[in-house]
Amino acid sequence: MRVLLTGATGFVGRKVRQVLEGRGYEVVGASRATGIDFRGMLADADWRAHLEGIEAVVNSVGIIVESADQRFDTLHHRAPGALFRACVSAGIRRVVQISALGASAGAPTGYLRSKHAGDEILRGLPLEGWVLRPSLVYGPEGRSTALFRRLASLPLIPLVGQGDQRIQPVHIDDLAAAVAICLETASESRTVDIVGPQAMTFAQWLQRLRVQTGRQETLTLPLPLSWLLALSRIGRHVAPLFHPDNLHMLQQGSTADPAPLAALLGRMPRHVP
Ligand SMILES: NC(=O)c1ccc[n+]([C@@H]2O[C@H](COP(=O)([O-])OP(=O)(O)OC[C@H]3O[C@@H](n4cnc5c(N)ncnc54)[C@H](OP(=O)(O)O)[C@@H]3O)[C@@H](O)[C@H]2O)c1
């Protein structure tokens, strides 16, 4: 099967490509380097030439922070919306959209609201559209994993508040396996939360990352959310993940029932070691 994979150069896209190619798919990887820049692909017709000979589409383009020319509404809503509609015109039935856990119309951040807007377009089309909503995705090449590992390796682990925010990290291999299964499963449109088997606190997550590197658990340094929010107005320019919106999303927590993913995979998702 010939699959168009957008976001092919990203953390998720690279792993999805590897898994799909391992299963015999022909993957046509798209990114700005291959001339597919979402900012200029807002009309259905912009996608037509790129869909010739394509049998399924996986959309893994996303940004966690906006910049002057990279806007949530363009990248998460308008361009993928045009892509999904173009799939209908091109007779492509199966589309997998990588969204995000917590995406909803009333979500507290523009990131999650724009993800929801894109998801809604897919859900409304006559396609076998899969909306996969991952929580925090971790894996050796993940940018957030690297940042959290650095924090976890400090003598005192800095926490947002008391570090009691609930998260449910999911391994990149489980997300990529889910994408492949979706491409192989005839289905009505479905939305599946992609979460690990157990929820944990942010503090427990950092301690686990620390232990994974052969260190003992250590003391923590709770930092008031109000301080971090003030600091993040400058820090966001150094580390995009350190953006006020991302602190708010962490504070809100991100957990879900792992049963639907387990049913899709035919096994429980991986435990965090
Ligand atoms: N990682 C996580 O923990 C996590 C959790 C939940 C949801 N997600 C979602 O999963 C998806 C992939 O995330 P990721 O972690 O793989 O992100 P990533 O590593 O930052 O990759 C983002 C991808 O988007 C592409 N992209 C950015 N701007 C673009 C543009 N204007 N036109 C075309 N492509 C563009 C990038 O390609 P180039 O820059 O090479 O052009 C890259 O391939 C996103 O939708 C994200 O919201 C990720």
Side-chain angles (χ1 to χ4, degrees):
M1 191 193 277
R2 200 151 183 260
V3 179
L4 178 72
L5 170 64
T6 66
T9 51
F11 168 49
V12 172
R14 288 194 306 273
K15 177 52 81 172
V16 167
R17 175 178 215 144
Q18 187 193 342
V19 167
L20 294 185
E21 288 181 343
R23 289 163 94 115
Y25 289 85
E26 185 188 339
V27 177
V28 179
S31 70
R32 282 174 286 185
T34 69
I36 297 195
D37 186 332
F38 272 33
R39 291 169 295 187
M41 307 207 55
L42 305 180
D44 308 9
D46 296 327
W47 289 98
R48 204 169 292 141
H50 298 286
L51 295 179
E52 272 170 27
I54 296 294
E55 294 161 275
V57 169
V58 178
N59 176 37
S60 183
V61 167
I63 50 169
I64 190 72
V65 173
E66 287 188 310
S67 62
D69 65 345
Q70 288 271 87
R71 309 304 296 176
F72 289 143
D73 188 54
T74 307
L75 270 63
H76 297 163
H77 171 209
R78 293 171 62 209
L83 168 61
F84 302 152
R85 284 190 299 269
C87 286
V88 176
S89 311
I92 295 166
R93 299 278 313 143
R94 211 156 290 167
V95 175
V96 181
Q97 149 83 337
I98 311 295
S99 180
L101 192 65
S104 76
T109 62
Y111 167 76
L112 290 172
R113 289 191 297 273
S114 62
K115 282 283 186 185
H116 172 77
D119 300 348
E120 280 291 278
I121 293 180
L122 180 58
R123 290 190 192 104
L125 291 170
L127 288 167
E128 295 180 21
W130 290 83
V131 176
L132 302 186
R133 305 188 338 146
S135 61
L136 173 66
V137 184
Y138 72 97
E141 293 174 27
R143 229 174 313 155
S144 68
T145 312
L147 172 71
F148 293 141
R149 280 228 165 89
R150 278 200 298 280
L151 292 178
S153 69
L154 297 172
L156 276 180
I157 299 180
L159 297 177
V160 178
Q162 295 300 316
D164 54 359
Q165 303 83 5
R166 305 288 291 169
I167 57 171
Q168 202 164 341
V170 64
H171 197 279
I172 180 71
D173 288 355
D174 287 335
L175 171 57
V179 170
I181 292 167
C182 292
L183 288 177
E184 288 154 15
T185 309
S187 162
E188 298 291 299
S189 285
R190 278 178 60 190
T191 297
V192 183
D193 292 338
I194 305 290
V195 294
Q198 67 187 135
M200 62 190 75
T201 65
F202 181 60
Q204 286 168 333
W205 166 238
L206 293 181
Q207 294 285 13
R208 283 194 194 196
L209 289 178
R210 183 179 177 87
V211 169
Q212 278 174 22
T213 59
R215 297 176 171 89
Q216 302 279 343
E217 286 195 12
T218 189
L219 295 174
T220 56
L221 178 64
L223 298 169
L225 178 64
S226 54
W227 291 13
L228 290 170
L229 283 170
L231 266 178
S232 68
R233 293 200 181 95
I234 303 162
R236 65 199 268 192
H237 302 294
V238 182
L241 280 170
F242 191 43
H243 186 283
D245 276 3
N246 295 333
L247 289 171
H248 284 303
M249 278 198 284
L250 174 66
Q251 194 61 21
Q252 190 196 10
S254 174
T255 62
D257 180 3
L261 175 59
L264 190 68
L265 296 175
R267 59 171 172 80
M268 278 308 274
R270 268 199 204 186
H271 275 272
V272 178

